[in-house]
């Protein structure tokens, strides 16, 4: 549930920008252009945010640590170091 809250909040926010704001643009010669700009801005900002959020939620590439760093971390965290494990 905690991962769904930001998704819902930002979807509502950018949905409001892309769906709600084009209706309140004042009449003028550039009204259509401003409406398209608002819709495209909302869609691209939401998509960029979604990609960044999902990439941080489940990263594809983790840090590459050498054997010395892994053994040092295991010792500091109090994990039993098994010599038969290959790293």
């Amino acid at each position: 549930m905690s991962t769904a809250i930001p998704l819902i909040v930002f979807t509502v926010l950018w949905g409001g920008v892309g769906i709600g704001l084009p209706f309140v643009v004042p009449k003028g010669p550039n009204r259509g252009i401003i409406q398209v700009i608002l819709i495209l801005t909302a869609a691209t900002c939401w998509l960029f945010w979604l990609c960044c959020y999902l990439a941080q939620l489940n990263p594809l590439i983790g840090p590459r640590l050498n054997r010395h760093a892994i053994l040092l971390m295991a010792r500091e965290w109090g994990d039993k170091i098994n010599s038969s494990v290959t790293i």
Side-chain angles (χ1 to χ4, degrees), residues 22-36:
F23 288 112
V24 297
V25 174
K27 292 187 180 191
N30 296 326
R31 182 178 187 194
I33 294 172
I34 294 171
Q35 287 175 332
V36 169

Side-chain angles (χ1 to χ4, degrees), residues 1 3-15 46 49 53:
M1 180 65 183
T3 59
I5 292 173
L7 186 64
I8 293 168
V9 168
F10 279 94
T11 300
V12 168
L13 174 82
W14 289 115
W46 179 80
W49 173 83
Y53 181 72

Side-chain angles (χ1 to χ4, degrees), residues 48-59:
F48 181 75
W49 173 83
L50 183 69
C51 290
C52 290
Y53 181 72
L54 291 178
Q56 292 175 17
L57 186 66
N58 187 15

